[in-house]
Amino acid sequence: MAEKFKACLIGCGRMGATIDDEVKDRPDAHLFLPYSHAAGYKAVEDVELVAACDVLPEKVRAAQERYGIPRGYTDYREMILKEKPDIVSVATRPKSHAEIVIFAAEHGVKGIFCEKPLCCSMEEADRMLEACRKHGVKFNYGTLRRYVPLYRTMRRLAEEGELGEVRCVIAHCPGSAQWGLTHASDMLLFLAGDPEVDFVQGYLPIPPEEFKGDRLEIDPPIPMGFVRFKNGVLGYLTQSPGWEFELVGTEGKVRSLNNGLGLQLRKRDEHGRFVEVKPPEFPYESGTVNAIRELVEAIRTDGETSGDIALAHRSQEMILGFIESHRLGGARVEMPLKNRSLYVCRPDW
């Protein structure tokens, strides 16, 4: 029998425990379920969800009843010290992510599954990276598309040369910078091959007075973001309805459709035209479940995860770089970001 890993959930709200209810009756529910962290742990046989924590006791009780979680807490520190979990999920609002991840890393947790956005500044991100590296903590980031077979198929087509020389990746995505577009920056990074970043530029439809020095207390949209990766691939973030990603090479183009319902693949023919061909087949699987399984396997084998803390740190830096570019009048912002104190966090986070 496989070793059981003890998991604890911090944050019993939407992504922690209830988001499954938002999608369960949709025709595309198979793309997401199990969706919440709690539902994901219950679906992985070699993990036992032993405790849950939230500052609101009623949310703790509701999660316990729904998922059969034995113990509940309102103080995550107490829970970690008493339960001594192997894995901790961080599904709180963004403002507390850094302190929770650092405390967990410093108190014996072997693996962390942290929701996006990673944090609110690169100062926080740097400390999270340092703590996880120092204590050998395995990490997966809650940008769930990178664990889904459809998007992995897109990247594999590029890696196997099916698209020729990869030139660019395009994110057609709505949403605000931290709450939504951290998904987009992570997918730009993932589909480009997870390279380091050379520079970014961005535009936000907000006036200069929204910035209070290095602090921004709104979560703005990003209608235009540009990134040059060090491997030469160019990334474009465009504000548009729906969630679709396109990977473009000299010999082919592949695009995800309707937030993951399918793929469109076009290849160059003998006349130089890009004509549609049948894409490879792939299964539909829960990104949450795959992220947890990958984290468990990394702990068990001392292996790597595909959404580790260094990559989460890098994609967070892209988002903050777009914002810093706008703050500087649209200037090109070299990476690593010099302004580590730029802090983007809504008051209710």
Side-chain angles (χ1 to χ4, degrees):
M1 182 176 176
E3 176 188 2
K4 282 273 189 179
F5 292 86
K6 294 197 303 180
C8 286
L9 171 65
I10 304 173
C12 298
R14 186 170 180 260
M15 277 308 301
T18 67
I19 195 171
D20 307 74
D21 297 336
E22 297 177 24
V23 301
K24 63 183 176 61
D25 296 323
R26 287 170 40 167
D28 59 353
H30 63 286
L31 301 180
F32 308 101
L33 298 175
Y35 200 173
S36 67
H37 287 233
Y41 286 119
K42 299 303 284 189
V44 177
E45 292 183 357
D46 42 4
V47 174
E48 182 182 4
L49 186 54
V50 299
C53 175
D54 197 284
V55 294
L56 299 177
E58 62 272 22
K59 287 191 175 184
V60 178
R61 289 192 294 270
Q64 286 185 267
E65 292 172 7
R66 177 169 183 167
Y67 296 103
I69 305 170
R71 291 172 292 283
Y73 296 82
T74 55
D75 184 333
Y76 74 85
R77 297 174 182 86
E78 179 187 5
M79 180 177 69
I80 290 173
L81 293 174
K82 284 187 176 179
E83 299 291 342
K84 296 180 170 53
D86 300 296
I87 301 170
V88 160
S89 260
V90 182
T92 62
R93 291 292 180 96
K95 188 175 182 179
S96 60
H97 285 186
E99 68 174 50
I100 296 172
V101 166
I102 292 167
F103 184 89
E106 291 176 343
H107 289 85
V109 172
K110 299 173 184 175
I112 297 173
F113 184 17
C114 181
E115 265 308 310
K116 37 58 59 184
L118 182 66
C119 54
C120 301
S121 73
M122 289 313 297
E123 285 181 347
E124 291 183 340
D126 291 343
R127 291 190 287 112
M128 294 165 81
L129 176 65
E130 181 182 6
C132 289
R133 286 288 183 257
K134 179 179 179 180
H135 298 283
V137 175
K138 307 301 180 183
F139 189 97
N140 256 343
Y141 193 30
T143 47
L144 298 178
R145 288 174 182 83
R146 73 164 45 234
Y147 315 106
V148 171
L150 179 147
Y151 301 101
R152 291 185 167 185
T153 298
M154 293 178 68
R155 176 162 158 168
R156 177 171 56 81
L157 286 168
E159 291 173 341
E160 294 178 352
E162 291 294 318
L163 307 180
E165 182 183 345
V166 175
R167 294 293 175 83
C168 69
V169 57
I170 308 165
H172 307 269
C173 303
S176 57
Q178 289 274 63
W179 199 254
L181 294 177
T182 40
H183 282 297
S185 66
D186 186 74
M187 283 307 297
L188 289 174
L189 181 67
F190 176 75
L191 293 175
D194 285 327
E196 293 185 4
V197 179
D198 189 3
F199 66 85
V200 304
Q201 287 179 275
Y203 163 73
L204 284 60
I206 62 172
E209 53 266 27
E210 288 286 0
F211 288 93
K212 313 301 181 187
D214 288 331
R215 196 174 188 94
L216 188 61
E217 295 186 347
I218 61 170
D219 187 23
I222 305 177
M224 189 284 291
F226 172 74
V227 53
R228 175 181 165 85
F229 294 105
K230 287 193 174 181
N231 65 357
V233 176
L234 304 180
Y236 301 91
L237 171 58
T238 65
Q239 191 90 53
S240 59
W243 283 83
E244 297 187 343
F245 298 90
E246 189 170 7
L247 190 52
V248 179
T250 55
E251 301 300 322
K253 305 179 182 184
V254 61
R255 181 168 178 153
S256 64
L257 303 175
N258 296 309
N259 200 19
L261 273 178
L263 282 182
Q264 180 192 63
L265 176 61
R266 293 185 292 156
K267 301 287 290 290
R268 187 189 293 273
D269 69 7
E270 64 272 21
H271 305 292
R273 303 171 303 179
F274 286 88
V275 297
E276 192 165 348
V277 299
K278 184 179 180 181
E281 295 184 358
F282 52 86
Y284 289 95
E285 296 173 353
S286 161
T288 303
V289 170
N290 283 349
I292 293 169
R293 285 180 174 154
E294 190 179 277
L295 193 58
V296 166
E297 187 63 17
I299 295 170
R300 179 179 286 133
T301 64
D302 193 25
E304 299 298 324
T305 60
S306 60
D308 73 11
I309 185 63
L311 296 175
H313 182 278
R314 191 174 300 163
S315 66
Q316 180 68 69
E317 193 166 23
M318 288 166 58
I319 284 290
L320 293 175
F322 294 145
I323 295 171
E324 177 71 352
S325 172
H326 178 79
R327 192 180 76 88
L328 298 175
R332 188 170 83 175
V333 173
E334 308 286 338
M335 296 285 113
L337 182 63
K338 292 179 181 178
N339 186 4
R340 311 306 276 181
S341 61
L342 176 65
Y343 190 87
V344 181
C345 183
R346 283 174 22 183
D348 59 347
W349 286 354

